[in-house]
Amino acid sequence: MTLHVLWPNTALMTVLAGAVLMAYVAFNGMLLVWLERKVSARFQRRLGPTEVGWAGLLQSAADVIKLLAKQLITPRHVDRPLYHLAPVLVFVPVLAGISLFPFDRHLQLHDFNIGLVLLFALAGLGFLGIFMAGWGSNNKYALLGAMRAVAQNIAYEIPLILATLPVVLLARTMSLREVVEAQHQLWFIVQQPVAFAIYFIAAVAETNRAPFDIPEAESELVAGFHTEYSGMRFAFFFLAEYTNMTIVCMIAATLFLGGYIGPSWLPVPGWVWFFGKVYLLLLVMMWLRWTFPRLRFDQLMSFAWGVLIPLAIVNLLLTAVAIKVWR
Amino acid sequence: MAEGAVASEHAQRLRAELEAGLDLGPRWSALEGASSGFARCHAVSVEALPRLAGAFARAGYFLELLTCLDLRQHEGRMRLVYTFNCFAALDRWRLHVDLAPTRPWSGPAAKPARAKKGAAAALDAATDAAAAPAAAPLPVEAPSLVASFPAADWLEREVFDMFGVRFAGHPQLKRLLLPEDADFHPLLKDFGRMDAVAAPGAGPAMGPGGGADG
Amino acid sequence: MAEIWGEPAPQPLAGNGDDTYYLNMGPQHPSMHGVLRLLLHLRGEEILEAEPVIGYAHRAHEKMAENRNYLMFLPNSSRVDYLSGMIYNLAYCQAMERLLGIEVPERAEHIRVIVSELNRISSHLLWFGTFLLDLGGVTPFLYAFDDREEILTILERVTGSRLTYSYGRFGGVTQDVDALFVEQTLAFVARLRGRMPDYHALVSDNVIFRHRCEGVGLIDQATALRYGVTGPCLRACGVPYDLRRAEPYGIYSRFDFEVPTQPAGDIFARYLVRLAEMEQSCRIIEQAVAALPAGPIMPEKQKKRFKPEVGESYFAVESARGHFGIYIVSDGSELPLRLKLRTPSFANLSAVAAVLKGTMIADTVAILGSVDVVLPEVDR
C-alpha cells in the first residue's frame, strides 16, 4: 500500500496507518453501540446508559472488557475449521474496505483506480464468512439465518451496484477520490436522487439492519447465523456489522454527498465534513431500525427483485441516455 | 355467525333431534336464567354420544368444555362432562356421560405423603400408583368426537392424560400436558395428594359419602 | 448431517421426502411467549406441518384445587393466566359465590368491574408490545409498557401486588378504593385515549406492518367454531360474541359498550379488535367510576369455612383472551371434587396449528403473537 500524497511511503508508515485504522474500527464500533443505545433510548422515552462515564460513554468500553473476559464456548457439534475461521473472514474484509476511502483531500491510504469495484468485492467476501458461520455452527437456526443472509445479499447487491453505476457514468471514474473531486460544483445526490434512494435502501438491507434484519431476526431465528457464537467471536460479528454500516454510509457519502467537500467558505477541515455526513447517515439507519417492524423474507426478496432492481436498471439507462444526449 | 332467529331455529331442531329416543331426564337442577353459568344438564349414554355430537356440530355449536369426573369412590364409575355452547345465543348444554370402569377403586393412595412436600410427594404417590396391581390396564373407553369437533383433539388428549380414559377413534391419543413417558394419571382420585400444605381437618383424600349425585 | 459427528441419524418424522427440514421452535425461544414448543416441518421457509407441544408450564392447578379447600385455591386462580390475573381471580370468586349463594355488595361489584377492565387493558397493552416485538418493532413495546406501568401502579396501590392479584374474596374484595384511586384511574383513561393516535400513527398505518398482517393467518368463522376459538380472535372474524354481552355476569349488563368486530379474520383484524376493545374498556371504566356507590365491600356476615352443597357450578367470564370458564363440582366437603378451568388460550392455540400450515416461519411468529397465547394458561 502507498500513502497518498501526504506521508512518505515507507513500510513503517503503512503499518502505522493500518494500526490507526484498526483502532478506528474498534473505536467506531464502540461509539456506534453507544450511539445506538442512546438513540434507541430516546426513541423509546428512556435514558439509555448513564452510569459508566459521562452520559454512559464508557459503557461500550465496559462491554468490551466483559466480552474479552468471557469464556469462548465452542459447541460440540460444530465444524471446527469453518466455525473458527468465520468470524475472522467476516471481519477482515471490512477492515480492508475501510482503508480505501478518502477521508480528506490528502488523507487516503491509496487511491485505487478501481476502488469502487474493490469495495464491492470485499463486501461480497464478508458474506462468505457469514455462510461459513451458519453452516459451521451446525445449528438449524444458524443455517436458516445463513441461507437468508446469502439470498438477501445476492438480491440486494445487485440494486446496490446498479445504483452506484450512474455515478460512475457521471464521474467517468471508479476511483473514490476522483468521484469526490467530480462533485465540487454539485453533489451527485442532486442529479441522482433515485439512485441515492435505491442505494440507501439496498445498503440497509446489505448490512442486515432492521427492517431488513431477517438473517438475525431474533424473534424468528433466535440470533440467526451467530446463534452459536459467544464472547469475542460474537463480538467480531458485531463489530463487522457496525463497521459494515459505516462502510456503506461512507460509500454513500463519497458517491452522493460529496465526500470531504463542504461549503468552501466555512473554515472546517474536509475530514469533519466526511465523518459528519457518515454519522448523519448512520443516524438515519438507526432511526429506521427503531421505527419499523421487520419485513417478511419473501416480501424482502420480491421488493428487491420486483421494485429495486427494475427501478435501478431504468435509472441507469435514463442516465446513460441523458449523458449521451447532453454531453 | 347467523342471526339469533336462525340460531334459535337451530336450537329447536337440535332439541327435537335430542329428544328423539334419548333419555333426557334432567340431572342436576341447572342454574337457570340468562346469566353466566346457565346450562341445560342432561345425562346421555356413551352409545348416543357421537350422534349427539354430530347434531350439535351441524347445529353450529362449539365444544366449550370436556372434562372427566372420577366418581368411582362415590358411584363406582367415571363421568365425562361435555359442554356445548353457541355463539349466536346463550344455549349451553351440559351432557353427563357415565362410563363403566373396568379398573376398580383402589382406595385412597397408600401414603398420604404428609411427610414430604410438593413434587416429591407427588412423585412418591405416582410410583405407588404405578406399583399397585390394580393400575395395570387403563380402564375406560369412550368414542372420540374429533370427527365432529377438532377442538376435541386436545381436550380428549388431556382427559386421557389426566384420567386415563381412552377415546376410540382419536387420531393420535398421546399425552398432552404431562411428559410422554409418564405412566400415571394424576387426576384419578387414587393417585394421591400433591399439596404442599394439607388442608386442616381434611382426610387423606375425599371424605366418605357425599356422592356427587343427589 | 448427524452421521458426520458420530451420532445416530435422527429418525425421520412424517414428512415430505428428504427435503423436509425439522425445526424445534421452543420451548426456549425468544418469541414463544413462555414455553411453547412448535415442531415445524419445513420446506425451506415454508411450513408443511406445525405441531404444538405443550405442557412445559404445567403446574397442576386442577390437581392442587382438589387438595386444598376452596379459599386456599384463591391465590392459584390469578396464577393461571398471569396477564389477566384479576379477571381470573374474580371469576373464581364469582363462581364460588354462585355455588355458595353469596350476595356481593354493590360497591364491590363496581370495584370489580373497574379493576377487571384495567386488567384487560393492561393485558392488551402487553400484547400490543410483545406482538410488535415479534414483528421486529421494538419501540412500540416500550411505549406500551410505559402505559401499562400506570395500570400496575394503580392496581398495586389497591391490591398490594402487580401481577398475581388475590384481590377478590367470596362476597366482595379485600380492600376498599379511595378517591385517589378514582382520580388515578380517570387520569389513566385520559392518558390512554391521548396515546391511541400515537399507536395508530406508529404502527397501524405503517406499510411494513400492514404487509405483515393483512391477509395472513386467517381464522375464519368455521374454523373458530370447530376449535372453540373465542375472544378477540373470534370477534376478528365477525362474530360479536363477548360474554360480557352474551352472558352478562356481575353488573356488566348495566353498562353501555360496544363489542368491536372485524370481518377479515386475519392478523390485522385481531389487532384492530384489541385496540378497539381498549377503548370500550375505558368506556366501561368511566361508567363504573361514575356509578360507584358508597357502602360495604364485603357482606355483613362472613364465613370462615366454606362447604358448598352437593352440586356443580359453571361460571364463565370474558378474559382478555376470550372465554374463561370455571367448572366446579362439589361433593359437599370442604374440598372441591373437581375444579376444571376452561381457558381460552387452550382452544385458541389448538386452532393455530391448523392455521400455520402453508405459512412461513416469520408468519408463525406473527400469527402466534396475534392470537395472544399465554402458555401458563394453556398448560395450567
Side-chain angles (χ1 to χ4, degrees):
Chain A
M1 279 196 216
T2 54
L3 281 169
H4 187 78
V5 186
L6 189 63
W7 291 321
N9 174 20
T10 66
L12 181 70
M13 283 312 286
T14 308
V15 170
L16 254 178
V20 168
L21 270 177
M22 274 181 93
Y24 167 71
V25 165
F27 169 77
N28 176 55
M30 281 158 61
L31 182 75
L32 284 183
V33 169
W34 173 82
L35 198 64
E36 181 105 58
R37 296 171 88 164
K38 275 294 187 192
V39 166
S40 68
R42 294 300 169 175
F43 269 78
Q44 296 159 0
R45 311 172 23 133
R46 297 184 286 120
L47 290 175
T50 54
E51 287 292 319
V52 193
W54 181 77
L57 258 175
L58 294 179
Q59 182 66 50
S60 296
D63 287 346
V64 168
I65 293 168
K66 180 197 76 176
L67 280 170
L68 280 171
K70 277 212 164 183
Q71 184 192 0
L72 284 176
I73 298 167
T74 307
R76 206 149 37 92
H77 293 314
V78 300
D79 191 337
R80 277 168 187 278
L82 294 183
Y83 179 82
H84 289 310
L85 199 57
V88 183
L89 208 67
V90 167
F91 186 67
V92 169
V94 299
L95 197 62
I98 209 155
S99 63
L100 298 175
F101 288 95
F103 301 114
D104 202 342
R105 186 160 305 162
H106 301 298
L107 193 60
Q108 187 179 18
L109 270 176
H110 183 80
D111 189 41
F112 289 96
N113 57 359
I114 51 157
L116 202 56
V117 176
L118 192 59
L119 263 177
F120 288 128
L122 287 169
L125 259 185
F127 273 83
L128 189 65
I130 285 181
F131 193 71
M132 277 166 71
W135 181 265
S137 293
N138 200 7
N139 172 307
K140 296 192 172 186
Y141 289 116
L143 185 56
L144 273 175
M147 276 166 17
R148 284 180 171 193
V150 170
Q152 181 176 341
N153 179 46
I154 291 170
Y156 278 87
E157 199 115 283
I158 299 168
L160 193 77
I161 294 172
L162 284 177
T164 56
L165 284 185
V167 172
V168 174
L169 289 183
L170 285 172
R172 299 172 176 219
T173 174
M174 283 198 195
S175 143
L176 294 172
R177 211 178 89 84
E178 286 167 29
V179 169
V180 175
E181 288 298 319
Q183 299 181 70
H184 267 295
Q185 266 83 45
L186 198 61
W187 293 357
F188 282 140
I189 189 175
V190 182
Q191 288 159 282
Q192 290 292 338
V194 178
F196 177 73
I198 295 171
Y199 172 82
F200 197 68
I201 292 170
V204 173
E206 186 77 3
T207 50
N208 303 337
R209 289 280 297 186
F212 306 105
D213 60 342
I214 58 163
E216 45 198 286
E218 78 278 353
S219 62
E220 296 157 30
L221 299 184
V222 187
F225 58 86
H226 57 64
T227 303
E228 295 284 8
Y229 284 89
S230 58
M232 253 345 250
R233 292 203 191 107
F234 162 74
F236 269 115
F237 285 111
F238 210 62
L239 200 57
E241 185 187 315
Y242 275 105
T243 314
N244 248 329
M245 279 167 63
T246 316
I247 289 179
V248 295
C249 288
M250 281 177 170
I251 298 177
T254 306
L255 296 188
F256 294 99
L257 299 179
Y260 48 78
I261 299 170
S264 53
W265 43 269
L266 274 176
V268 176
W271 60 270
V272 174
W273 283 116
F274 180 77
F275 283 106
K277 289 166 189 169
V278 168
Y279 284 99
L280 194 71
L281 288 173
L282 283 167
L283 218 56
V284 174
M285 281 175 101
M286 290 178 187
W287 176 19
L288 288 177
R289 171 167 176 187
W290 298 108
T291 308
F292 285 120
R294 185 179 301 123
L295 277 164
R296 205 174 61 198
F297 186 60
D298 57 326
Q299 293 168 346
L300 180 91
M301 295 310 261
S302 59
F303 184 59
W305 293 102
V307 179
L308 285 186
I309 294 178
L311 201 61
I313 290 175
V314 169
N315 185 48
L316 178 63
L317 287 176
L318 285 180
T319 309
V321 170
I323 289 173
K324 192 77 189 163
V325 171
W326 279 297
R327 264 195 198 160
Chain B
M1 188 49 51
E3 290 79 19
V6 182
S8 66
E9 187 190 312
H10 271 159
Q12 275 166 17
R13 208 172 340 126
L14 176 77
R15 210 156 302 149
E17 201 161 343
L18 287 168
E19 278 161 7
L22 283 172
D23 164 32
L24 277 182
R27 185 136 196 125
W28 275 322
S29 57
L31 294 148
E32 294 282 343
S35 169
S36 176
F38 163 84
R40 308 171 199 281
C41 299
H42 295 288
V44 299
S45 65
V46 179
E47 292 74 31
L49 185 62
R51 232 185 69 214
L52 273 173
F56 275 115
R58 282 191 300 279
Y61 282 64
F62 71 97
L63 180 59
E64 184 176 334
L65 185 77
L66 162 58
T67 188
C68 184
L69 305 177
D70 181 5
L71 302 175
R72 289 173 301 155
Q73 191 185 358
H74 309 288
E75 303 178 11
R77 58 192 159 190
M78 311 277 280
R79 174 178 297 157
L80 291 174
V81 181
Y82 290 84
T83 304
F84 297 95
N85 199 352
C86 178
F87 290 143
L90 180 56
D91 191 31
R92 183 178 287 123
W93 292 75
R94 190 183 301 142
L95 304 185
H96 288 168
V97 182
D98 282 354
L99 305 168
T102 56
R103 177 176 153 189
W105 167 250
S106 64
K111 277 179 286 181
R114 279 249 174 115
K116 299 196 179 181
K117 300 257 172 183
L123 267 179
D124 265 19
T127 40
D128 285 349
L138 283 169
V140 278
E141 196 169 270
S144 169
L145 301 189
V146 175
S148 309
F149 292 98
D153 184 346
W154 281 20
L155 290 167
E156 286 173 0
R157 276 173 67 187
E158 190 189 338
V159 169
F160 164 71
D161 203 1
M162 297 296 170
F163 292 92
V165 176
R166 291 192 170 275
F167 290 89
H170 190 287
Q172 43 167 195
L173 193 65
K174 56 183 185 186
R175 287 186 177 269
L176 183 71
L177 296 177
L178 297 182
E180 286 165 26
D181 55 353
D183 55 354
F184 49 85
H185 301 288
L187 282 182
L188 289 175
K189 289 290 181 190
D190 44 4
F191 171 76
R193 308 172 58 111
M194 58 160 294
D195 49 344
V197 188
M206 297 293 116
D213 194 354
Chain C
M1 209 199 291
E3 299 93 312
I4 306 169
W5 313 110
E7 291 224 329
Q11 287 297 312
L13 299 161
N16 200 333
D18 289 334
D19 293 344
T20 312
Y21 192 69
Y22 301 99
L23 185 67
N24 260 314
M25 234 173 161
Q28 279 94 27
H29 186 280
S31 59
M32 280 297 131
H33 295 266
V35 281
L36 172 64
R37 175 176 150 213
L38 272 181
L39 180 54
L40 299 177
H41 304 198
L42 300 171
R43 191 201 289 125
E45 294 255 335
E46 190 194 341
I47 293 165
L48 302 172
E49 198 85 46
E51 189 188 332
V53 182
I54 60 173
Y56 291 94
H58 179 55
R59 292 145 299 158
H61 277 301
E62 290 171 15
K63 182 71 183 170
M64 277 191 257
E66 294 179 15
N67 288 292
R68 53 191 63 191
N69 65 34
Y70 289 100
L71 201 54
M72 286 163 78
F73 186 71
L74 201 52
N76 284 50
S77 59
S78 60
R79 281 159 176 82
V80 175
D81 174 358
Y82 53 84
L83 296 184
S84 46
M86 184 69 87
I87 298 174
Y88 280 43
N89 184 250
L90 295 176
Y92 176 62
C93 291
Q94 283 165 304
M96 285 308 296
E97 284 149 14
R98 165 68 48 79
L99 201 59
L100 296 162
I102 300 175
E103 283 285 316
V104 182
E106 275 287 299
R107 184 172 175 83
E109 288 278 23
H110 281 80
I111 295 172
R112 282 181 173 186
V113 167
I114 298 169
V115 292
S116 291
E117 294 307 315
L118 281 175
N119 196 205
R120 189 185 315 277
I121 297 175
S122 91
S123 174
H124 278 352
L125 279 174
L126 186 133
W127 162 81
F128 175 81
T130 50
F131 172 54
L132 263 295
L133 202 58
D134 289 343
L135 293 181
V138 186
T139 302
F141 173 77
L142 284 127
Y143 276 63
F145 266 61
D146 192 12
D147 284 348
R148 182 171 172 267
E149 187 63 28
E150 294 279 312
I151 300 182
L152 296 191
T153 311
I154 294 171
L155 291 182
E156 185 185 11
R157 207 179 135 263
V158 177
T159 68
S161 55
R162 290 165 62 83
L163 212 57
T164 49
Y165 319 96
S166 268
Y167 186 48
R169 290 292 182 271
F170 302 159
V173 292
T174 51
Q175 325 229 5
D176 203 353
V177 300
D178 54 9
L180 183 57
F181 169 82
V182 170
E183 190 185 311
Q184 284 178 332
T185 306
L186 291 178
F188 170 77
V189 169
R191 174 196 162 115
L192 186 68
R193 290 219 170 107
R195 288 296 278 273
M196 275 300 162
D198 286 353
Y199 287 158
H200 283 297
L202 183 63
V203 179
S204 315
D205 301 335
N206 185 307
V207 63
I208 297 178
F209 177 75
R210 289 289 190 96
H211 268 98
R212 289 292 302 274
C213 294
E214 280 176 337
V216 179
L218 284 171
I219 299 179
D220 56 13
Q221 288 188 12
T223 311
L225 196 66
R226 289 186 302 141
Y227 284 94
V229 173
T230 51
C233 302
L234 177 68
R235 293 191 281 276
C237 58
V239 182
Y241 179 73
D242 185 323
L243 283 169
R244 291 173 293 177
R245 182 55 59 73
E247 210 174 329
Y249 53 92
I251 54 167
Y252 272 106
S253 52
R254 296 184 200 168
F255 300 117
D256 171 34
F257 64 100
E258 285 157 29
V259 179
T261 57
Q262 287 285 329
D266 57 2
I267 294 179
F268 193 58
R270 296 196 272 278
Y271 167 86
L272 289 179
V273 163
R274 285 206 181 84
L275 284 199
E277 273 180 19
M278 285 199 247
E279 168 56 27
Q280 296 306 320
S281 290
C282 286
R283 280 180 65 191
I284 296 175
I285 289 172
E286 281 178 337
Q287 294 171 47
V289 166
L292 185 66
I297 53 162
M298 284 291 282
E300 302 255 318
K301 281 173 70 180
Q302 290 173 35
K303 283 201 286 185
K304 289 254 160 53
R305 301 179 70 174
F306 297 97
K307 272 188 157 182
E309 294 189 1
V310 174
E312 54 180 13
S313 157
Y314 182 77
F315 198 88
V317 303
E318 184 74 25
S319 92
R321 267 153 286 282
H323 183 144
F324 172 61
I326 298 186
Y327 176 59
I328 304 174
V329 182
S330 163
D331 60 357
S333 71
E334 279 188 24
L335 316 180
L337 176 79
R338 177 92 173 95
L339 189 146
K340 164 76 183 166
L341 303 163
R342 192 265 183 215
T343 52
S345 290
F346 186 85
N348 294 358
L349 182 62
S350 73
V352 164
V355 175
L356 286 181
K357 212 173 284 182
T359 60
M360 323 268 289
I361 292 181
D363 287 334
T364 311
V365 175
I367 293 169
L368 268 175
S370 75
V371 169
D372 192 13
V373 176
V374 170
L375 253 290
E377 180 193 47
V378 177
D379 294 345
R380 298 178 304 266

